[in-house]
Amino acid sequence: MIMYVLVLFYFAIGGYQHCVANWFGAWMLILRAIANSNIKHANMAWAFVVFNIILSLIGNFIGALIIGTFMGLFNKEFDVLLVQEARMKFLTEEIERIENKKIISFEIIFLAS
């Protein structure tokens, strides 16, 4: 039990979804079902996957949608500035690439004649 809690805390501190940490418990149940041919343990492993892992995935998805929506609404002005900065950087690099291409093609024409 202590090992399970430590693994769960490790994933939580690492920023992973808790469904990833829950797979530790799922594998413990699956290995127990393999080691023990009792059908009760196999059903417990599948019940754990269905009721714990799948529900936590759905919950994480819905939570991410809600948090992402609110973060997008609150940070809209900052996001617009970041997008504009990225566009300016891209355009600057594109202009430099085009100018370098013109210089190289001019040098090729000049050297060929």
Side-chain angles (χ1 to χ4, degrees):
M1 189 65 183
I2 292 172
M3 183 63 181
Y4 182 75
V5 171
L6 290 177
V7 170
L8 187 64
F9 285 156
Y10 171 76
F11 278 100
I13 291 170
Y16 294 103
Q17 293 182 5
H18 58 86
C19 59
V20 176
N22 292 348
W23 270 108
F24 177 75
W27 279 111
M28 286 177 31
L29 284 172
I30 290 169
L31 291 175
R32 184 174 179 189
I34 291 171
N36 216 350
S37 62
N38 188 355
I39 195 71
K40 179 176 128 183
H41 295 301
N43 290 336
M44 283 177 38
W46 284 111
F48 183 84
V49 170
V50 169
F51 293 118
N52 194 344
I53 305 293
I54 293 175
L55 290 179
S56 65
L57 278 173
I58 294 169
N60 285 340
F61 181 74
I62 293 170
L65 285 176
I66 293 169
I67 290 172
T69 302
F70 282 117
M71 292 299 289
L73 292 174
F74 290 132
N75 294 325
K76 186 173 185 172
E77 294 173 6
F78 184 68
D79 290 342
V80 169
L81 289 174
L82 284 177
V83 169
Q84 289 175 349
E85 180 184 5
R87 286 181 182 164
M88 291 297 291
K89 183 178 178 183
F90 172 75
L91 289 174
T92 304
E93 291 172 355
E94 193 69 19
I95 290 170
E96 288 176 6
R97 187 185 65 79
I98 291 171
E99 287 177 354
N100 287 338
K101 189 176 180 181
K102 286 180 182 178
I103 291 171
I104 291 171
S105 62
F106 178 73
E107 289 175 354
I108 292 172
I109 292 171
F110 181 71
L111 292 173
S113 57

